[in-house]
């Protein structure tokens, strides 16, 4: 991919002037749906908005609970709260850092309406097991695939392995645009129609508002950029996987986050664990390697979510991960 392709795509949008829901938006949705094999793709303004719209379309709100992980970006829990529901946290597996399916049923109550697993750092959560739990308890599953677009589990693409999947096109994601963006995926015609309306002020046609919705659209310029980047996406994934292989060899003395056997990985982040993280971070910086920490404080310990009533020690695996994780750079194309 070169910058001329991007510039040409942006110029075409400027020429036709359809900056909101222009033809590139619908072309991108068609191509993303074909790529994932989900029946529908609805592009939206961000990954957080995508989760919120999915919850709204499922009529999940006040008085309901959604099970998720405390080891994720704040947007996961924010979207649940913005939809009117309550996030209920479950600890992670200490080797994969993914939500631990064995702990999910322990927190299901009559108020539970959905499970929202996070496909962290570029690999999918164990959706086989999570979907089975959901079926037993008549719950919906929404995959937060903000970091795992392009990954697979048993040959099924991330975002297409549950009732609803969402992703983010934030610039640092595996498939990133030049601003904010996201998408919702589903094979349910009913949910897809609702989400399309909800992202556009609840309109099913111009000036006919069936729902109370949002301004949640992806703008046409970002769609045009993503159409170009999607053409080169598989090459980008291979480049990330090669870099991850190099990291595995170079950092073999450290614990590396485990990949599930049934998964392929797109390495939005490459995480290693160190009990002397700050020292290691400075040593690597001195050698020219810029690192980051995802995430330094779990959600249940963040001030914004204190009202949920959790305390330190409630999720020991997540807390240990947040105190020892160090992420090595994965550069996007």
């Amino acid at each position: 991919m070169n910058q001329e392709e991007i510039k040409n795509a942006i110029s075409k949008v400027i020429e036709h002037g359809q900056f909101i829901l222009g033809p590139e938006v619908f072309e991108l949705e068609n191509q993303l749906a074909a790529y994932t094999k989900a029946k529908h793709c609805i592009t939206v303004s961000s990954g957080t908005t995508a989760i919120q719209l999915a919850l709204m379309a499922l009529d999940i709100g006040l008085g309901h609970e959604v099970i998720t992980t405390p080891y994720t970006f704040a947007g996961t829990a924010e979207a649940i709260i913005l939809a009117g529901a309550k996030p209920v946290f479950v600890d992670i597996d200490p080797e994969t850092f993914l939500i631990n399916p064995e702990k999910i049923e322990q927190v299901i109550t009559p108020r539970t309406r959905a499970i929202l697993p996070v496909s962290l750092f570029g690999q999918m959560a164990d959706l086989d097991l999570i979907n089975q739990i959901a079926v037993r308890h008549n719950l919906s599953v929404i995959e937060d695939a903000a970091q795992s677009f392009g990954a697979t589990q048993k040959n099924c693409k991330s975002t297409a392995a549950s009732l609803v999947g969402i992703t983010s096109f934030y610039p640092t994601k595996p498939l990133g645009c030049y601003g904010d963006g996201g998408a919702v995926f589903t094979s349910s015609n009913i949910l897809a129609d609702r989400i399309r309306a909800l992202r556009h002020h609840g309109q099913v046609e111009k000036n006919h508002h069936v729902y109370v919705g949002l301004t949640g659209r992806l703008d046409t310029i970002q769609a045009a950029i993503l159409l170009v980047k999607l053409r080169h996406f598989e090459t980008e994934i291979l480049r990330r996987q090669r870099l991850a292989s190099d990291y595995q060899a170079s950092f073999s003395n450290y614990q590396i986050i485990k990949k599930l056997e049934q998964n392929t990985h797109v390495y939005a982040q490459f995480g290693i664990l160190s009990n002397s993280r700050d020292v290691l971070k400075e040593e690597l910086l001195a050698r020219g390697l810029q690192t980051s920490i995802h995430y330094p404080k779990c959600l249940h310990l963040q001030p914004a979510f204190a009202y949920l009533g959790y305390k330190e020690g409630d999720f020991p695996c997540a807390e240990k991960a947040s105190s020892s994780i160090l992420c090595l750079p994965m550069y996007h194309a």
Side-chain angles (χ1 to χ4, degrees), residues 6 45 92 207 256 263 281 323:
I6 297 289
S45 56
I92 61 173
N207 296 321
I256 295 170
N263 283 356
K281 184 177 177 67
S323 67

Side-chain angles (χ1 to χ4, degrees), residues 93-300:
D93 179 280
E95 293 187 324
T96 66
F97 287 21
L98 301 166
I99 191 170
N100 190 336
E102 295 180 2
K103 296 181 180 293
I104 289 175
E105 287 185 287
Q106 299 170 19
V107 299
I108 292 174
T109 75
R111 296 179 295 278
T112 307
R113 291 295 181 272
I115 306 169
L116 207 169
V118 176
S119 293
L120 193 72
F121 292 168
Q123 72 164 327
M124 294 168 67
D126 194 341
L127 287 171
D128 261 5
L129 285 178
I130 293 168
N131 284 329
Q132 291 171 28
I133 294 167
V135 168
R136 285 199 295 272
H137 295 274
N138 194 30
L139 303 174
S140 300
V141 176
I142 304 167
E143 182 195 6
D144 180 346
Q147 299 181 15
S148 62
F149 190 75
T152 65
Q153 187 166 103
K154 295 183 177 178
N155 296 317
C156 183
K157 291 282 190 186
S158 186
T159 70
S162 56
L163 177 63
V164 184
I166 73 92
T167 198
S168 168
F169 301 127
Y170 188 78
T172 58
K173 303 300 183 186
L175 180 64
C177 59
Y178 285 8
D180 281 312
V184 187
F185 297 80
T186 184
S187 290
S188 164
N189 295 337
I190 292 172
L191 289 177
D193 287 344
R194 287 180 182 174
I195 293 164
R196 286 191 186 97
L198 286 166
R199 73 168 173 184
H200 192 40
H201 300 287
Q203 296 183 97
V204 295
E205 57 185 71
K206 190 172 182 180
N207 296 321
H208 183 53
H209 302 264
V210 176
Y211 311 104
V212 175
L214 305 173
T215 306
R217 304 165 301 237
L218 179 73
D219 73 75
T220 308
I221 285 178
Q222 299 302 337
I225 292 166
L226 286 164
L227 280 168
V228 174
K229 297 191 76 175
L230 185 59
R231 294 200 294 266
H232 302 273
F233 186 47
E234 289 300 316
T235 301
E236 167 69 4
I237 291 174
L238 290 173
R239 196 198 64 78
R240 287 174 177 268
Q241 291 170 340
R242 286 195 295 268
L243 181 54
S245 181
D246 290 342
Y247 281 151
Q248 286 167 350
S250 299
F251 292 89
S252 59
N253 292 331
Y254 294 88
Q255 181 184 343
I256 295 170
I257 297 173
K258 181 180 177 181
K259 181 177 76 67
L260 293 175
E261 288 185 8
Q262 65 266 38
N263 283 356
T264 64
H265 206 307
V266 296
Y267 294 102
Q269 307 289 342
F270 187 94
I272 62 174
L273 276 67
S274 172
N275 292 326
S276 304
R277 177 176 66 191
D278 293 342
V279 173
L280 177 60
K281 184 177 177 67
E282 290 303 315
E283 288 177 353
L284 293 175
L285 183 60
R287 298 182 186 183
L289 193 65
Q290 180 77 48
T291 58
S292 57
I293 298 173
H294 299 278
Y295 299 91
K297 185 181 286 189
C298 296
L299 296 190
H300 68 288

